[in-house]
């Protein structure tokens, strides 16, 4: 509960306390006024009689109504007691009313005995029973016996004293035989005897009262005690003969009645129950030892009073009355019996205490935890035997030792602060506390100890256990959660936290810190060629080199796979160029160190390192800083690998532009904005169209078809014009979908042309990775041929094998199955691929397609001329057709034909054509073959005649919207 809530809970108590004080003041004023009036005899005898009789009767009636009303409002075991108090007060009111009837109304003396005496005699018994109801009931028979004995001890002693002082005279008067003496004597004896019984109950119950509604009960007992005291004074020989109504003695009865009327309402009642959270409990202060011992002294005080009664008769020279002797003997007998019961109880308690002590000693000595008791000075006064097994030190050796000398100096300040705070806190709010520290063992090492601390006579009780293994396990789990299991370098989570710490706290103003992202180029080839175990060994060695290359305060981490990172903390330098030079030097040293050969399994393995560097600019977040370093690392890989790139803001802008264009690409694919064009493949000898190569174009809103070089690069599409990459890259699913669309459209349109009489094969470019990709089922090509009825030999797959990770066994089986169906296989990019020779040796290839890089320089470069001529000789020797890609100039046509190249594709003959212009070209059937500087017959959508020669086959091709 909040502080305002606690204060709100306190307000009713303050208000109730104010009302109670006001009622007490009113009670004191009224009682004092009555006493002053009685002392002054009320000014006249008549007024004195009225106030002495009917005033007391009104006060008694008020007490009766108050107790009765209160009893009706409560629902507990106290209700009968307050009803009895109400009846007792009513009897007192009736007695005073009868007394006033005789004195005031009738004007005559009150006869003895009378109805008033009967009412007064009925006052004490209900009050006595009510006190018994309020008393705390004994739980055993011995308790009930002791309650009765205590009552008789008090009552008997008072009876002895009263008999010696006054009651003996009344008894002798009764024995004189005078007329009316017996009733008067009996009446004079009944009042004090009942008062003695009431006083006995008041004294006994003062020490046995219930805890419930304590204030009201105390006030009621005080009211009855004041009434009994007034009765005792009235029955004494000194006042009984001279008493008249309205005298000062009546003030005692009047105050007692008002006090009983006030008891259930004016006194503040303490509610027992749970204290609301956050509200401090106001516990009753513990009783002093002398107050707690008064009940035990009660029997001896009673015996002393009885002895005084007997001594009074002896010292006065009187004959000892038999009543006094008899009562004294019964009091002594009750005292002996009570002491006997107490002795038996003490013996039983002593045995029970010894049994419990043995029980707890066994628990302490047999416990695996160490229990220690420290004095307020910090000195150990007791240590359990478990210390030998836990701390390696005997308990006797630790006793007398200062606790502070056993705690690790680094933990001592924290422990002292916690102990002082605990001792200053209220015990009801914080009964225990828990402390963890390092404790010195007998062998000299420090043990992690967890202790539960309790208060004990100003000192402390410590229940301690060794948690060293738990702390070590927690540290190990924490280390495992924050470190890479293979290299033991910090993982991404810990690295991110270190970066955050470098950007905040006392380093918040230091913008010279830098993050390095490192990627091992060629690591996947190591896994694929010599196995993952060798790859793990390489990563471990790379991590060791990285850790050795950074400074002591820097952090090297493994983010996953072959990606590492390093946090280079700033030195507070404000010279940005000098700091960039220093970090760049560190990055170059890391790159050189990581690129050195690795000895793995007896063989030498080489990988390179691409590193991206990003600096902590003002206001940058940890995620943005790491993203910048990642972008710089990918720029280093895209720029040729084995290099270092520093982040620049335009990198992020380029990423945003590519993301936007990639989104447009996905939208275009779903909304059918792609168009399929075909570029003729022409025989260099006759000019006839031997095949058409399918290419995808993206139609813009202005009717312009963008080339694959413009949109496939955005999606990291690895197949250039034909599509169908290996699935690598951030948008691999889209490139795969585009590749499937290209294949299906090409087969469908080829089937339409076949039915129209144009039996020209269609060539579709596809990578080996795409052909073996799980996203493309094995029966896709066969299903397309069957569904569209494309005849054998009408489909040519231009296969690009540029990745050394391609499994040639699977690829060979897949191509053999397609070759049996009549699907032609062309080896695309021949002369630049990684595995061209292996592909020629193992794959069922029908055609070689020269890479356009060889064709572009075949006229100008003698070296390229020789290389191209050699490759064409290989094709001719193997009996394969050859196709030159990117034949854009007449000189290239002449040179390639002279070298033995059979077919060509490029702007020297035609650019990519839509379906309408393609069919027109197929109807014509041939293109003029340049013999010198002749221009191509048809290019890029011209209607015929002379053509403008365009370099390259990736220019925009304006066509009317279809």
């Amino acid at each position: 509960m909040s502080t305002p809530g606690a204060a709100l809970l306190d307000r009713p108590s303050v208000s109730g306390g104010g009302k109670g004080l006001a009622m007490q003041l009113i009670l004191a004023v009224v009682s004092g006024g009555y006493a002053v009036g009685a002392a002054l005899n009320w000014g006249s005898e008549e007024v004195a009689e009225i106030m002495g009789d009917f005033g007391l009767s009104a006060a008694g009636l008020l007490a009766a109504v108050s107790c009765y009303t209160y009893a009706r409002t409560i629902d507990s075991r106290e209700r009968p007691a307050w009803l009895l108090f109400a009846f007792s007060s009513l009897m007192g009111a009736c007695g005073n009313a009868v007394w006033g009837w005789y004195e005031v109304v009738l004007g005559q003396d009150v006869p003895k005995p009378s109805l008033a005496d009967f009412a007064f005699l009925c006052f004490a018994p209900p009050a006595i029973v009510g006190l018994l109801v309020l008393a705390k009931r004994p739980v055993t028979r011995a308790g009930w016996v002791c309650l009765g004995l205590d009552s008789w001890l008090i009552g008997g002693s008072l009876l002895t004293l009263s008999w010696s002082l006054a009651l003996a005279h009344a008894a002798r008067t009764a024995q004189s035989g005078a007329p009316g003496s017996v009733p008067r004597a009996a009446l004079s004896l009944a009042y004090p005897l009942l008062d003695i019984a009431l006083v006995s109950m008041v004294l006994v119950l003062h020490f046995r009262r219930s805890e419930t509604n304590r204030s009201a009960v105390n006030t009621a007992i005080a009211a009855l005690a004041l009434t009994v005291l007034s009765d005792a004074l009235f029955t004494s020989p000194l006042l009984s003969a001279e008493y008249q109504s309205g005298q000062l003695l009546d003030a005692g009865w009047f105050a007692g009645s008002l006090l009983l009327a006030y008891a259930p309402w004016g006194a503040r009642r303490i509610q027992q129950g749970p204290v609301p959270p956050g509200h401090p409990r106001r516990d009753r202060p513990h009783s002093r030892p002398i107050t707690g011992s008064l009940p035990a002294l009660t029997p001896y005080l009673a015996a002393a009073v009885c002895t005084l009664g007997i001594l009074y008769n002896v010292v006065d020279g009187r004959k000892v009355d038999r009543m006094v002797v008899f009562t004294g003997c019964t009091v002594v007998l009750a005292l002996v019996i009570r002491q006997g019961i107490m002795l038996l109880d003490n013996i039983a308690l002593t045995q029970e205490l010894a049994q419990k002590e043995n029980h707890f000693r066994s628990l302490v000595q047999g416990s695996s935890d160490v229990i220690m008791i420290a004095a307020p000075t910090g000195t150990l006064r007791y240590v359990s035997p478990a210390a030998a097994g836990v701390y390696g030190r005997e308990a006797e050796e630790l006793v007398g030792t200062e606790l502070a000398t056993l705690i690790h100096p680094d933990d001592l300040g924290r422990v002292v602060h916690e102990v002082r705070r605990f001792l200053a806190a209220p015990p009801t709010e914080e009964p225990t506390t828990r402390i963890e520290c390092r404790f010195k063992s007998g062998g000299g090492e420090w043990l992690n100890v967890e202790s539960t601390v309790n208060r004990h006579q100003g000192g402390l009780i410590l229940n301690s256990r060794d948690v060293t293994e738990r702390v070590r396990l927690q540290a190990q789990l924490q280390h495992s959660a924050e470190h890479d299991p293979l290299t033991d370098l910090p993982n991404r989570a810990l690295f991110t936290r270190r970066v955050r710490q470098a950007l905040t706290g006392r380093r918040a103003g230091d913008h010279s810190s830098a993050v390095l992202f490192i990627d091992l180029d060629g690591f996947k080839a190591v896994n694929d060629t010599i196995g993952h175990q060798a790859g793990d060994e390489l990563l471990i060695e790379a991590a060791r080199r990285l850790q050795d290359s950074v400074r002591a305060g820097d952090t090297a981490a493994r983010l996953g796979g072959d990606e590492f990172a390093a946090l280079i903390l700033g030195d507070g330098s404000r010279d940005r160029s000098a700091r960039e030079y220093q970090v760049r030097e560190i990055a170059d040293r890391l790159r050189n160190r990581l690129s050195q050969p690795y000895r793995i399994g007896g063989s030498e393995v080489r990988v390179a390192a691409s590193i991206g560097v990003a600096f902590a600019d003002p206001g940058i977040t940890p995620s943005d800083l790491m993203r910048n370093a990642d972008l710089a690392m990918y720029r280093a890989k895209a720029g040729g690998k084995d290099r270092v790139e520093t982040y620049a803001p335009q990198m992020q802008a380029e990423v945003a532009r590519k993301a936007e264009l990639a989104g447009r690409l996905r939208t275009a694919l779903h909304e059918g904005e792609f168009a399929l064009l075909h570029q003729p493949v022409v025989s260099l000898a006759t000019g006839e169209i031997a095949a058409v190569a399918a290419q995808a174009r993206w139609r813009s809103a202005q009717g312009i078809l963008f080339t694959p070089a413009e949109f496939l690069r955005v999606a990291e599409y690895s197949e250039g014009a034909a599509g169908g990459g290996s699935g690598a890259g951030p948008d691999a699913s889209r490139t795969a979908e585009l590749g499937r669309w290209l294949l299906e459209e090409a087969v469908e349109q080829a089937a339409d042309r076949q039915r129209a009489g144009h039996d020209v094969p269609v060539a579709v470019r596809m990578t080996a990775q795409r052909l073996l990709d799980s996203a493309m089922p094995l029966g896709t090509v066969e299903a397309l041929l069957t569904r569209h009825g494309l005849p054998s030999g009408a489909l040519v797959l231009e296969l690009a094998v540029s990745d050394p990770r391609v499994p040639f066994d699977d690829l060979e089986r897949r191509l053999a199955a397609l070759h049996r169906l009549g699907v032609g296989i062309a080896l695309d990019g021949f002369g630049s691929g990684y595995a061209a020779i292996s592909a020629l040796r193992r794959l069922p290839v029908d055609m070689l397609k020269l890479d356009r890089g060889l064709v572009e320089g075949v006229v100008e470069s003698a070296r390229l001329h020789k290389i191209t001529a050699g490759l064409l000789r290989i094709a001719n020797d193997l009996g394969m057709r050859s196709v030159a890609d990117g034949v854009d100039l007449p000189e290239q046509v002449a040179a390639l034909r002279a070298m033995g190249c059979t077919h060509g594709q490029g702007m020297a003959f035609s650019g990519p054509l839509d379906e309408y212009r393609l069919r027109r070209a197929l109807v014509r059937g041939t293109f003029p073959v340049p013999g010198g500087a002749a221009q191509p017959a048809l290019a890029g959508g011209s209607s015929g005649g002379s053509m403008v020669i365009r370099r390259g086959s990736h220019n925009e091709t304006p066509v009317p919207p279809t």
Side-chain angles (χ1 to χ4, degrees):
M1 184 175 293
S2 62
T3 302
L8 184 63
L9 288 178
D10 284 340
R11 290 174 185 173
S13 299
V14 174
S15 177
K19 291 180 179 179
L21 180 60
M23 294 181 66
Q24 292 173 7
L25 291 175
I26 294 173
L27 177 65
V29 169
V30 173
S31 299
Y34 190 95
V36 171
L40 299 177
N41 202 23
W42 297 104
S44 66
E45 184 176 353
E46 183 179 357
V47 175
E49 289 180 352
I50 294 174
M51 294 301 297
D53 296 332
F54 293 111
L56 292 181
S57 178
L61 184 61
L62 177 63
V65 172
S66 175
C67 293
Y68 177 78
T69 304
Y70 176 70
R72 292 288 302 273
T73 60
I74 62 175
D75 185 14
S76 65
R77 60 181 295 268
E78 300 177 21
R79 174 182 289 181
W82 292 102
L83 289 175
L84 290 170
F85 291 157
F87 180 74
S88 178
S89 299
L90 182 61
M91 291 295 99
C94 292
N96 285 302
V98 172
W99 198 287
W101 175 263
Y102 281 104
E103 283 190 339
V104 177
V105 178
L106 300 181
Q108 60 184 17
D109 294 336
V110 182
K112 293 185 178 181
S114 66
L115 189 60
D117 295 320
F118 173 77
F120 288 143
L121 290 176
C122 291
F123 173 82
I128 294 174
V129 178
L131 290 174
L132 287 174
V133 172
L134 290 178
K136 186 185 297 183
R137 299 177 182 177
V139 295
T140 62
R141 293 181 180 178
W144 285 104
V145 173
C146 288
L147 177 61
L149 291 175
D150 289 343
S151 300
W152 173 244
L153 285 171
I154 297 173
S157 60
L158 293 177
L159 178 61
T160 302
L161 186 60
S162 300
W163 189 274
S164 301
L165 294 175
L167 299 184
H169 175 73
R172 286 193 292 270
T173 302
Q175 294 175 358
S176 63
S181 61
V182 174
R184 285 193 296 272
L187 186 62
S188 62
L189 288 176
Y191 280 119
L193 290 178
L194 289 175
D195 288 339
I196 289 173
L198 188 57
V199 169
S200 301
M201 292 306 303
V202 167
L203 291 176
V204 172
L205 296 180
H206 176 70
F207 304 110
R208 293 179 176 270
R209 60 188 181 277
S210 174
E211 296 293 330
T212 306
N213 207 358
R214 174 182 289 270
S215 296
V217 174
N218 287 342
T219 306
I221 291 176
L224 295 175
L226 185 58
T227 302
V228 169
L229 178 60
S230 300
D231 289 345
L233 293 175
F234 173 74
T235 57
S236 65
L238 298 177
L239 298 179
S240 60
E242 300 178 358
Y243 171 77
Q244 291 181 358
S245 296
Q247 293 182 346
L248 189 60
L249 183 61
D250 291 346
W253 285 312
F254 184 81
S257 298
L258 290 185
L259 195 61
L260 186 60
Y262 163 79
W265 304 105
R268 181 181 177 186
R269 286 168 286 164
I270 300 176
Q271 299 293 337
Q272 301 294 329
V275 178
H279 190 70
R281 178 187 291 273
R282 295 177 175 83
D283 294 326
R284 182 176 60 89
H286 295 289
S287 300
R288 296 180 180 179
I290 188 171
T291 304
S293 61
L294 285 178
L297 296 177
T298 302
Y300 304 101
L301 294 175
V305 171
C306 183
T307 303
L308 289 175
I310 298 175
L311 289 177
Y312 174 79
N313 289 280
V314 174
V315 172
D316 198 32
R318 300 177 183 176
K319 180 180 178 181
V320 179
D321 194 280
R322 285 179 294 179
M323 183 63 182
V324 173
V325 175
F326 175 77
T327 305
C329 291
T330 56
V331 168
V332 172
L333 180 61
L335 178 62
V336 172
I337 295 175
R338 192 184 188 284
Q339 291 302 104
I341 295 175
M342 290 182 61
L343 179 62
L344 294 177
D345 285 344
N346 290 337
I347 293 174
L349 289 174
T350 302
Q351 293 177 349
E352 183 179 358
L353 181 61
Q355 183 180 2
K356 289 183 178 180
E357 184 179 356
N358 292 332
H359 175 69
F360 285 111
R361 182 181 292 109
S362 301
L363 289 178
V364 171
Q365 294 180 351
S367 173
S368 59
D369 294 346
V370 180
I371 299 175
M372 300 181 293
I373 300 178
T377 59
T379 305
L380 293 177
R381 298 189 304 187
Y382 173 80
V383 179
S384 65
V390 175
Y391 299 147
R393 305 177 68 175
E394 295 297 331
E396 294 78 6
E397 178 185 350
L398 291 174
V399 173
T401 306
E402 291 288 338
L403 186 60
T405 62
L406 303 175
I407 299 175
H408 195 283
D410 295 342
D411 300 339
L412 183 58
R414 175 173 53 83
V415 172
V416 170
H417 174 74
E418 174 62 20
V419 169
R420 288 177 178 175
R421 185 203 62 78
F422 170 66
L423 293 177
T428 55
E429 294 182 3
E430 191 173 2
T432 63
T433 188
R434 181 170 295 178
I435 297 176
E436 286 194 22
C437 62
R438 284 167 288 180
F439 201 87
K440 192 173 184 179
S441 68
E445 66 272 10
W446 294 99
L447 304 176
N448 294 95
V449 175
E450 180 186 68
S451 302
T452 302
V453 183
N454 295 270
R455 299 173 180 83
H456 176 68
Q457 296 180 358
L460 299 173
I461 295 180
L462 298 95
N463 191 346
S464 306
R465 62 194 63 86
D466 183 8
V467 293
T468 304
E469 290 301 323
R470 189 193 72 186
V471 172
R472 289 176 181 172
L473 179 59
Q474 289 177 344
Q476 182 179 356
L477 292 176
Q478 183 71 18
H479 182 85
S480 300
E482 295 179 341
H483 290 77
D484 175 57
L486 179 64
T487 63
D488 202 40
L489 290 179
N491 58 13
R492 183 181 293 272
L494 180 57
F495 183 76
T496 303
R497 186 160 67 251
R498 295 274 178 87
V499 172
R500 184 178 295 107
Q501 291 172 355
L503 298 181
T504 57
R506 63 184 182 89
R507 292 185 174 272
D510 185 5
H511 306 303
S512 58
S513 297
V515 169
L516 278 61
F517 265 43
I518 306 161
D519 186 83
L520 299 181
D521 303 320
F523 171 74
K524 188 168 181 57
V526 175
N527 270 345
D528 294 339
T529 54
I530 61 178
H532 289 274
Q533 179 64 33
D536 290 345
E537 294 179 13
L538 189 148
L539 289 175
I540 294 173
E541 176 62 21
R544 186 187 63 79
R545 294 183 184 182
L546 178 61
Q547 186 68 50
D548 294 342
S549 300
V550 299
R551 301 171 304 178
D554 299 334
T555 300
R558 182 191 178 204
L559 305 183
D562 60 340
E563 290 189 358
F564 294 85
L567 171 63
I568 309 299
L569 295 178
D571 55 3
S573 174
R574 296 185 178 274
D575 189 350
R576 179 64 180 266
S577 59
R579 180 58 179 165
E580 288 183 359
Y581 177 80
Q582 182 183 10
V583 173
R584 183 65 181 251
E585 190 178 50
I586 294 174
D588 284 330
R589 184 172 68 248
L590 283 176
R591 182 184 60 81
N592 291 329
R593 186 80 175 90
L594 294 173
S595 300
Q596 293 177 4
Y598 296 82
R599 297 293 300 179
I600 306 296
S603 59
E604 188 176 276
V605 178
R606 289 181 177 270
V607 294
S610 296
I611 302 178
V613 181
F615 286 91
D617 295 328
I620 196 170
T621 63
S623 59
D624 290 342
L625 179 59
M626 295 173 65
R627 180 206 60 196
N628 294 346
D630 197 22
L631 289 176
M633 184 265 290
Y634 276 107
R635 173 59 67 89
K637 292 178 70 69
K641 303 180 180 180
D642 193 17
R643 55 185 295 169
V644 177
E645 284 283 348
T646 302
Y647 171 78
Q650 56 267 27
M651 294 182 183
Q652 179 62 29
E654 183 179 352
V655 169
R657 183 183 62 83
K658 287 185 177 181
E660 179 185 0
L661 198 54
R664 291 171 54 193
L665 176 63
R666 289 191 293 270
T667 302
L669 186 60
H670 284 293
E671 295 183 358
E673 295 181 6
F674 282 95
L676 186 64
L677 303 182
H678 294 82
Q679 189 171 26
V681 179
V682 180
S683 171
L684 297 183
T686 64
E688 295 180 355
I689 300 176
V692 292
Q695 296 180 3
R697 292 292 188 274
W698 181 9
R699 186 185 304 278
S700 68
Q702 293 77 23
I704 297 178
L705 300 180
F706 291 99
T707 63
E710 295 168 327
F711 67 82
L712 296 181
R713 183 182 67 251
V714 177
E716 295 191 3
Y717 202 75
S718 62
E719 293 183 9
S726 64
D731 208 13
S733 62
R734 299 302 171 192
T735 59
E737 188 175 352
L738 182 59
R740 288 193 295 271
W741 174 85
L742 176 63
L743 179 61
E744 292 177 1
E745 285 291 318
V747 171
E748 183 179 0
Q749 293 187 19
D752 291 340
R753 289 192 296 272
Q754 289 285 339
R755 287 189 289 270
H758 304 295
D759 55 349
V760 180
V762 62
V764 181
R765 195 178 186 205
M766 182 177 292
T767 64
Q769 293 90 334
R770 175 60 59 197
L771 188 62
L772 298 177
D773 192 2
S774 60
M776 182 177 180
L778 293 178
T780 299
V781 179
E782 294 86 341
L784 285 174
L785 296 176
T786 302
R787 183 167 72 238
H788 296 288
L790 195 64
S792 176
L795 175 64
V796 178
L797 293 180
E798 295 178 350
L799 195 67
V801 185
S802 58
D803 194 335
R805 296 171 296 180
V806 174
F808 269 93
D809 293 337
D810 297 341
L811 183 60
E812 183 179 5
R813 288 191 294 269
R814 180 75 180 116
L815 292 179
L818 294 174
H819 200 266
R820 286 193 294 269
L821 294 176
V823 177
I825 307 298
L827 188 59
D828 187 37
F830 189 70
S832 64
Y834 173 86
I837 302 302
S838 298
L840 282 177
R841 181 174 60 87
R842 302 184 58 181
L843 302 180
V845 178
D846 303 313
M847 181 188 305
L848 295 181
K849 192 168 185 178
L850 292 178
D851 184 75
R852 65 182 298 108
L854 298 175
V855 176
E856 287 177 351
V858 71
V859 177
E860 295 85 358
S861 173
R863 186 181 185 87
L864 281 179
H865 188 279
K866 291 181 180 180
I867 294 174
T868 304
L871 294 175
L872 289 173
R873 280 196 301 271
I874 292 176
N876 291 332
D877 292 342
L878 294 176
M880 298 179 182
R881 291 175 294 169
S882 55
V883 178
D885 187 15
V887 183
D888 295 335
L889 299 174
E891 295 87 348
Q892 295 172 349
V893 175
L896 290 169
R897 184 172 54 188
M899 294 178 192
C901 183
T902 60
H903 296 81
Q905 173 186 341
M907 295 301 295
F909 303 102
S910 172
L913 306 174
D914 61 7
E915 188 65 20
Y916 172 74
R917 287 167 176 77
L918 176 62
R919 294 205 179 191
R920 284 180 55 191
L922 291 176
V923 170
R924 183 170 184 138
T926 60
F927 286 91
V929 178
Q935 296 180 353
L938 186 64
S942 297
S943 58
S946 63
M947 294 290 299
V948 177
I949 298 177
R950 301 175 184 268
R951 285 192 174 271
S953 58
H954 292 290
N955 296 323
E956 294 183 0
T957 307
V959 296
T962 57

